[in-house]
Amino acid sequence: MSSINQSRRRLFSRKKSDAVHLPWVKGDIAFTDECTRCDKCISACETNIIIKGDGGFPEVNFSIDECTFCKKCVEACPEPLFIQTDEAPWAIAASIQNTCMAYQGIWCQSCKDACDERAISFTMAVGKAPQPSIDTDACTGCGACVAPCPSDAILIKQ
């Protein structure tokens, strides 16, 4: 099976729980009640990670790129959907799944190389590939580690 077909299959098999809302969205509102689906946030996103999700509502897709926390989505939105941007953008962090190549004995540290916050580290182990771990306190949830992962082993979740 080609990688394009696998990629399309993953796209259409995404679970609703995998959807990531935009940074700084108020937690006390029903996003789908307040968002008008005007797509201004999609157009404003400098890394093009905001896509039309279920029902046409915007959501973040880290398989495209990372969130740079530029705040352009917040500035472009005409609705009162967002909290003050001096607060943490969201309560999400990366997690490593069992499909990680290091767990299969293959030396790979692409996620660590992509992480500017140095939240991902690898521990050397005798007779094994170095094993990954994520410091969730240091992880900003930017998603920089997701796209470079060759085995789609990193999820950003709450």
Side-chain angles (χ1 to χ4, degrees):
M1 180 180 287
S2 77
S3 62
I4 293 173
N5 287 339
Q6 289 174 342
S7 183
R8 285 184 182 152
R9 183 167 294 166
R10 274 194 312 272
L11 174 68
F12 295 115
S13 66
R14 181 185 58 78
K15 297 174 188 158
K16 287 185 182 185
S17 62
D18 291 344
V20 176
H21 287 296
L22 308 182
W24 296 289
V25 168
K26 292 178 183 176
D28 62 340
I29 63 166
F31 184 78
T32 55
D33 290 343
E34 300 286 332
C35 177
T36 61
R37 297 176 276 190
C38 69
D39 297 341
K40 290 180 181 176
C41 57
I42 294 172
S43 301
C45 182
E46 71 179 19
T47 56
N48 299 310
I49 63 168
I50 302 175
I51 61 167
K52 277 187 183 248
D54 290 340
F57 291 99
E59 63 185 51
V60 175
N61 182 339
F62 290 117
S63 67
I64 297 168
D65 206 344
E66 68 185 282
C67 181
T68 61
F69 306 116
C70 68
K71 303 177 185 171
K72 290 182 180 175
C73 57
V74 175
E75 294 163 2
C77 183
E79 304 303 324
L81 296 173
F82 299 94
I83 60 173
Q84 296 296 318
T85 58
D86 56 346
E87 296 182 31
W90 43 36
I92 60 175
S95 69
I96 300 172
Q97 308 305 297
N98 291 336
T99 57
C100 176
M101 294 172 74
Y103 297 150
Q104 314 310 316
I106 301 167
W107 191 299
C108 176
Q109 295 186 8
S110 60
C111 57
K112 176 185 172 187
D113 295 341
C115 182
D116 288 339
E117 300 299 321
R118 301 184 191 267
I120 302 173
S121 61
F122 282 77
T123 305
M124 298 299 282
V126 176
K128 294 193 216 179
Q131 300 296 291
S133 65
I134 297 178
D135 178 352
T136 54
D137 291 333
C139 180
T140 62
C142 71
C145 55
V146 175
C149 179
S151 61
D152 298 320
I154 300 182
L155 292 178
I156 305 292
K157 59 184 183 177
Q158 296 183 4

